[in-house]
Amino acid sequence: MTVATDLVAPMRADTFRALLRHQAATVTVVTAPGAPPAGFTATSFTSVSLHPPLVSFCLNQGSSSWPAVARAGHVAVHLLGEGQQEVAGIFATSGIDRFAAYGRVQPGPYGVPLLEGAVARMVCRVTARVPAGDHVVVLAEPLFGEQEPGGRPLLYHQGRYAGLAHD
């Protein structure tokens, strides 16, 4: 691979998107309280720090979920497992009542909706919102969490859902 050293123009969005399709990402659903509550599928979730514990996710400022997340003091992050492609699809679909479509939701602390069936989930306190281009990076401190022993993550790669190869 040859890299030109005299490039000064920013990368085109379509090229950037094509390159990022090579990165495998865990699939999460983030929920926030509100009237109505918000929930959306995100593949931008990552751990940030162990001391103190911090996580982050990104959300487009034009998203229908952004107003609720912009006001929320707390959110829940649900790491989806293999076989939960339908859940990811529901929370990625615009123009529907995502919580009614999923149906397996319970009220959590701070009014945060909790989805049943995730491999792992955390309730987090939002600590910062950092504007970044057309998105906002949301930093959050996990307050508590739970997991399903032996759960295997749902991944997103090359525009498709995937799982880990079994041993």
Side-chain angles (χ1 to χ4, degrees):
M1 180 180 314
T2 304
V3 178
T5 57
D6 60 348
L7 296 177
V8 292
M11 184 178 292
R12 291 185 6 214
D14 59 335
T15 301
F16 184 55
R17 182 176 293 125
L19 290 171
L20 291 179
R21 289 174 65 93
H22 293 282
Q23 177 184 356
T26 57
V27 181
T28 62
V29 171
V30 178
T31 59
F40 61 94
T41 300
T43 56
S44 61
F45 173 78
T46 190
S47 63
V48 174
S49 170
L50 287 176
H51 303 287
L54 290 172
V55 297
S56 71
F57 59 89
C58 300
L59 180 60
N60 188 306
Q61 293 178 52
S63 164
S64 62
S65 296
W66 173 242
V69 174
R71 291 186 303 272
H74 296 83
V75 296
V77 178
H78 305 81
L79 285 83
L80 300 185
E82 288 179 341
Q84 291 192 294
Q85 295 90 330
E86 182 179 343
V87 180
I90 288 169
F91 283 90
T93 302
S94 296
I96 65 168
D97 180 339
R98 296 167 179 162
F99 294 100
Y102 181 57
R104 298 176 53 207
V105 182
Q106 58 184 310
Y110 311 105
V112 176
L114 297 177
L115 307 183
E116 297 175 6
V119 169
R121 64 184 180 188
M122 297 174 244
V123 172
C124 305
R125 180 180 64 85
V126 175
T127 61
R129 295 171 183 86
V130 181
D134 59 359
H135 280 62
V136 173
V137 180
V138 178
L139 296 167
E141 174 188 25
L143 301 177
F144 73 88
E146 54 192 2
Q147 63 185 328
E148 289 293 324
R152 298 172 72 88
L154 179 63
L155 303 176
Y156 191 72
H157 182 252
Q158 293 286 347
R160 297 186 317 259
Y161 294 113
L164 296 173
H166 294 276
D167 302 334

